[in-house]
Amino acid sequence: MKILVINSGSSSIKYKLYESTGDNHDFKVLAQGGAERIGISGASVDCKKTGCEKEHQYLDLPDHKKAINAIFQMLTEPEKGVLKSLSELSGVGHRVVHGGEDFTGSVLITGDVVAAIRKNSVLAPLHNPPNLMGIQAIHELYPDMPQVAVFDTAIHQTMPPKAYLYGLPKEQYTVHKIRRYGFHGTSHGYVAKQAAKELNRPFEKLKIITCHLGNGGSITAFDGGKSVDTSMGLTPLAGILMGTRSGDLDPYIPLHIMETQGLSSEQVSAMMNKQGGLLGLCGQRDMRDVLEGYEKGYEGCIEALDIFVYAIQKYIGAYAAAMNGVNVIVFTAGIGENVPQVREKVLANFGYLGLKVDKRANKANKTVITSAISKVKALVIHTDEEKVIASDTFDILKAKKK
Ligand code: ADP
């Protein structure tokens, strides 16, 4: 079965073409690429067939439909393409950011699903509309192509009310749906299950804290195989310090800034989402640059790294308390997978739980980075959100065929 995974953003579309090599979730990547600068001058599309050079074309891409069409043409190009025709494709899996309370798992896309994603756009105005543009473009071009939506929020729908309700008048939730939703669900769920597999323990019997540390970052607590709390909230701004996002703030701060500095909500939103985080604190958004500054003894970088690590430690501590224990801590995504200094600093404060870091394993980015006698295990697991989308799409298409 061949499955195309699509992540459709406002001006770009990324894709990966998978082929399942068996009856389970063994996939090989046949090709990957994307369309850039959709609706902007200098648009382009590319395709990298596995094991080959990347093909790149500049062409006019005024909208998502043209971009999807260009991607499909490249995939089916007679000489260099990877598909003979689109009929080889069993279906398309889409990353959709916000499923609100409507979706607790991945679903085959129907008119009702599109309407529900549209309804939830109010909760993710920057993400759901461009996700929908990708879905609609394919539907218009190939109305019979089965499409599946995989939601960033779905896995967190198992959180209990004590974790998802905010201390606001109740109608803010009942009428306006203001609550904690959480994000990065495909990544958290995947690495938590992989960690249980690595340890040869049933996922449902473990208390796991997963730390997804990329440009965006969030921490999730899994108890009994379910997400019971997560650090992002109504929006992906909440939680730990991120590349350019502030993470948790005193909730009055944005209002205070607007009142005292005369800034608009758009300006304060940009400050918190795009000018905050590591960037706001030390002028560097990329962890590699922060680390370089840290090594050179730059005060701003030392402070920013301290704040980054401290926020993660506080969430791990809070979730260990919330779950009345923790068996496994997992690190994933760009920083979680590649930066031993951050992991070592974070884990330094959990000796009281019986956690002992194996410094050599940690430095070498091994999978298990705690010693054999450590009561709490810490693991590094490579996240693969596209593969989760391919797996869910595979399962749904297989069930549909029956
Ligand atoms: P996202 O998918 O949210 O854009 P990623 O998971 O790609 O983010 O993570 C990006 C972050 O990971 C950046 O801060 C980057 O500096 C950091 N990162 C990735 N690889 C390395 C590395 N080898 N060493 C240090 N930092 C890294």
Side-chain angles (χ1 to χ4, degrees), residues 212-216 285-288 291 333-335 338-339:
H212 176 107
L213 311 177
N215 280 318
R285 58 188 286 172
D286 192 296
M287 184 51 78
R288 284 167 281 217
L291 287 172
I335 300 169
N338 296 297
V339 190

Side-chain angles (χ1 to χ4, degrees), residues 134-151:
I135 293 168
Q136 278 170 325
I138 294 177
H139 184 65
E140 283 169 27
L141 290 164
Y142 306 97
D144 296 331
M145 181 72 75
Q147 301 198 74
V148 168
V150 179
F151 299 92

Side-chain angles (χ1 to χ4, degrees), residues 158-361:
T158 49
M159 284 189 291
K162 68 180 176 186
Y164 71 69
L165 286 179
Y166 293 120
L168 289 169
K170 198 66 184 280
E171 62 270 18
Q172 290 301 321
Y173 168 60
T174 51
V175 179
H176 303 288
K177 295 293 167 208
I178 291 179
R179 52 158 286 177
R180 181 186 304 282
Y181 290 96
F183 299 88
H184 293 140
T186 48
S187 174
H188 287 293
Y190 174 75
V191 300
K193 283 177 205 152
Q194 281 300 116
K197 256 193 211 163
E198 284 291 338
L199 296 171
N200 219 357
R201 304 266 307 272
F203 179 41
E204 297 72 23
K205 294 264 162 69
L206 290 169
K207 296 177 196 290
I208 304 177
I209 297 173
T210 49
C211 307
H212 176 107
L213 311 177
N215 280 318
S218 66
I219 306 204
T220 295
F222 286 92
D223 197 355
K226 290 183 179 150
S227 165
V228 292
D229 206 346
T230 192
S231 61
M232 284 180 166
L234 172 77
T235 73
L237 184 58
I240 59 173
L241 189 81
M242 301 175 226
T244 62
R245 291 183 214 144
S246 62
D248 292 339
L249 295 172
D250 173 338
Y252 204 79
I253 289 174
L255 296 175
H256 176 81
I257 294 174
M258 287 164 74
E259 286 164 8
T260 59
Q261 298 173 36
L263 299 187
S264 66
S265 62
E266 287 81 11
Q267 287 169 313
V268 178
S269 169
M271 185 189 289
M272 295 188 295
N273 279 292
K274 298 190 177 136
Q275 299 147 15
L278 294 169
L279 179 71
L281 286 167
C282 71
Q284 303 292 349
R285 58 188 286 172
D286 192 296
M287 184 51 78
R288 284 167 281 217
D289 299 325
V290 177
L291 287 172
E292 198 182 313
Y294 176 85
E295 301 296 341
K296 288 183 177 155
Y298 294 165
E299 213 172 291
C301 293
I302 294 171
E303 196 172 67
L305 192 65
D306 263 356
I307 295 169
F308 183 75
V309 166
Y310 185 58
I312 300 166
Q313 288 174 325
K314 286 206 292 188
Y315 267 99
I316 294 176
Y319 289 165
M323 293 193 287
N324 193 17
V326 56
N327 306 116
V328 189
I329 299 170
V330 185
F331 291 90
T332 193
I335 300 169
E337 291 170 32
N338 296 297
V339 190
Q341 299 97 310
V342 164
R343 295 192 301 258
E344 189 176 335
K345 281 176 187 294
V346 166
L347 294 177
N349 279 17
F350 298 103
Y352 75 97
L353 291 175
L355 186 147
K356 272 186 99 60
V357 176
D358 175 340
K359 289 194 178 173
R360 216 192 276 171

